[in-house]
């Protein structure tokens, strides 16, 4: 089981929740599961998001996720 934490626009797209528990083998599967739960708006955010897995940036969406990992969903941020 993974702990997923949503930030900024990802939190809004997930219906305002900040954390949930999900079972998924990799980020591609995680995206499918969460899109099924929360709909197309979150699916779009997940396509553009960056992910931290236990605090480390993860670029490979097919890499196996460690059991009990924390995955942070970070949408693109505006500003500067």
């Amino acid at each position: 089981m993974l702990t997923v934490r949503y930030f900024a626009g990802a939190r809004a797209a997930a219906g305002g929740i900040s954390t949930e528990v999900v079972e998924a083998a990799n980020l591609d599967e995680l995206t499918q599961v969460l899109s099924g739960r929360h709909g197309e708006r979150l699916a779009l955010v997940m396509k553009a998001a960056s992910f931290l897995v236990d605090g480390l940036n993860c670029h490979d969406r097919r890499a196996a996720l460690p059991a009990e990992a924390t995955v942070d969903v970070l949408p693109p941020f505006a500003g500067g």
Side-chain angles (χ1 to χ4, degrees):
M1 296 302 278
L2 307 169
T3 299
V4 178
R5 300 188 305 182
Y6 299 105
F7 294 88
R11 180 179 295 161
I17 63 169
S18 59
T19 306
E20 70 180 305
V21 177
V22 178
E23 189 168 338
N26 57 46
L27 292 175
D28 278 344
E29 185 177 330
L30 180 67
T31 298
Q32 290 176 344
V33 170
L34 295 175
S35 298
R37 273 189 199 177
H38 300 289
E40 186 62 27
R41 185 171 173 208
L42 183 59
L44 291 172
V45 170
M46 298 284 285
K47 278 185 175 181
S50 297
F51 300 92
L52 298 180
V53 178
D54 289 337
L56 300 173
N57 198 0
C58 183
H59 298 287
D60 184 356
R61 292 181 181 236
R62 293 185 181 165
L65 294 171
E68 306 297 320
T70 297
V71 179
D72 295 330
V73 181
L74 307 170
F77 294 95

